[in-house]
Amino acid sequence: MKWQDRQRSSNVRKGSKANSGFGGSPRRSGPIFIPRGGKGGLGSIIFIFIIMFLLKGLSGIGSDINNSNNQNMDNPKQYQNQSTDQANARDTLEDFLSVVLKDTEDVWHAKFEEMNAEYVEPTMVLFEESTRSACGVASSDMGPFYCPIDESIYIDVDFYRQLKNQFGAGGDFAFAYVLAHEVGHHVQNQLGILEKTSKLRQTLPTKEYNKYSVAQELQADYFGGLFAYYVEQKGYLDPGDIEEAMDAAASIGDDRIQEMSGRNVNVDTFTHGSSSQRKEAFDLGYKYHDINNSMVFFENIN
């Protein structure tokens, strides 16, 4: 993706590290539903996007830092150089995400103007290891997520290496897709979709609600494809970027994650959609690049 020397978003802040006892420990499998007094009439149950069984790591665009700290303790200079490389790689990734966030702002301002509506920009909170959010503690183990209460996206850029090494989805635009997906949840919040699905969570059995959870996630993938279409039209994409994003969407399907964790694939427990569904949803967003067609995922629920 062509991102250097382009405008950054002003809606970025660094998250301070959370105290270990703050807010309790979040569950680590499936979606998280946290009882809260919602913002903007959201209700008491808030959905947070989570990717299961992630490993912690360090990352950088186009570079891997594979030596462990212990391996370099006998060489302080080499260890110091490695730490500097890691910090520089992190700074580069944060800079990259700031550019991508600005692109999402441009895209969604234009789409909301088509509806004679105003797009309210979300905040992106960059953190290391853990930080506080209005939805509870945000930790690296949770993966990137959107909190509707404070309208913020929380992301530890170390997830880039997890995406590449654990899920096999490398490339800078794969990471851009992840952010665009989370911005998609913010769009859903503004459209009132998250409020509706949160209310359904309180009335439906888990098996039935999971269908709406999957539809919600697939719609966010669709919005990721919509974003990709518009930034490609602006000439910001390199050859292979669309494929990187689609591979990322497929790599974090529920079926693949269940297989990776040694479990049998159980469609009834899906909360985000299968690999093929997520890839198809992104492709549909890229193809139609409008909001109306994104409602098909909810219409297909039976």
Side-chain angles (χ1 to χ4, degrees):
M1 181 178 181
K2 300 176 179 67
W3 65 274
Q4 293 180 332
D5 301 320
R6 293 207 291 113
Q7 188 175 357
R8 276 67 171 160
S9 172
S10 60
N11 297 305
V12 181
R13 69 175 178 86
K14 293 291 187 70
S16 58
K17 188 171 182 180
N19 295 329
S20 58
F22 177 82
S25 299
R27 288 183 290 165
R28 295 188 56 185
S29 62
I32 296 178
F33 301 98
I34 302 179
R36 292 275 174 176
K39 177 178 179 180
L42 223 105
S44 61
I45 304 296
I46 303 299
F47 180 82
I48 298 178
F49 170 67
I50 182 172
I51 296 176
M52 303 180 299
F53 304 106
L54 299 180
L55 301 174
K56 296 176 68 177
L58 293 169
S59 60
I61 295 178
S63 65
D64 286 320
I65 304 169
N66 294 319
N67 295 324
S68 70
N69 291 347
N70 290 336
Q71 288 176 318
N72 293 289
M73 289 302 291
D74 58 342
N75 190 334
K77 184 176 181 180
Q78 183 178 356
Y79 175 71
Q80 183 178 12
N81 290 340
Q82 183 190 26
S83 298
T84 300
D85 289 343
Q86 292 172 350
N88 290 339
R90 185 179 184 91
D91 288 344
T92 299
L93 277 166
E94 292 180 353
D95 211 23
F96 168 75
L97 289 176
S98 180
V99 173
V100 174
L101 184 62
K102 181 62 173 65
D103 286 339
T104 68
E105 293 164 357
D106 293 343
V107 168
W108 286 111
H109 274 300
K111 297 305 292 182
F112 271 61
E113 285 177 8
E114 292 176 6
M115 302 184 296
N116 294 317
E118 180 182 1
Y119 178 65
V120 179
E121 299 170 355
T123 298
M124 180 171 64
V125 181
L126 302 171
F127 67 93
E128 294 185 61
E129 297 183 7
S130 65
T131 193
R132 301 179 183 184
S133 80
C135 294
V137 171
S139 78
S140 300
D141 293 337
M142 295 170 62
F145 72 91
Y146 173 71
C147 175
I149 301 175
D150 59 12
E151 298 183 340
S152 297
I153 296 161
Y154 290 82
I155 184 167
D156 185 339
V157 298
D158 291 349
F159 179 71
Y160 176 80
R161 181 169 176 176
Q162 296 165 353
L163 190 65
K164 179 180 179 181
N165 293 348
Q166 186 176 357
F167 292 100
D172 55 4
F173 202 67
F175 206 20
Y177 148 76
V178 171
L179 178 54
H181 173 100
E182 297 308 326
V183 172
H185 286 312
H186 177 67
V187 172
Q188 291 172 327
N189 191 25
Q190 290 200 246
L191 295 175
I193 294 169
L194 293 190
E195 181 178 6
K196 293 178 181 178
T197 55
S198 293
K199 289 178 179 178
L200 290 173
R201 176 64 181 88
Q202 300 176 61
T203 60
L204 294 177
T206 300
K207 179 180 176 180
E208 292 304 311
Y209 174 75
N210 283 347
K211 297 177 182 179
Y212 289 92
S213 174
V214 168
Q216 181 173 283
E217 295 300 324
L218 294 180
Q219 187 184 50
D221 285 330
Y222 177 102
F223 288 153
L226 180 155
F227 164 78
Y229 171 82
Y230 282 100
V231 292
E232 183 181 54
Q233 293 302 299
K234 290 180 177 291
Y236 296 154
L237 299 191
D238 294 318
D241 278 349
I242 296 297
E243 289 73 17
E244 289 177 2
M246 293 183 70
D247 287 346
S251 71
I252 51 180
D254 284 323
D255 51 346
R256 181 173 182 187
I257 292 175
Q258 289 181 353
E259 290 171 348
M260 290 173 64
S261 64
R263 293 182 294 163
N264 294 327
V265 174
N266 184 349
V267 175
D268 291 337
T269 64
F270 284 5
T271 58
H272 289 69
S274 68
S275 293
S276 61
Q277 285 177 315
R278 302 197 68 170
K279 186 174 182 178
E280 181 182 10
F282 179 93
D283 190 42
L284 288 173
Y286 178 77
K287 178 180 179 180
Y288 292 110
H289 47 268
D290 69 351
I291 292 178
N292 289 337
N293 277 291
S294 73
M295 298 307 297
V296 67
F297 305 106
F298 292 98
E299 295 168 357
N300 288 340
I301 295 175
N302 50 44

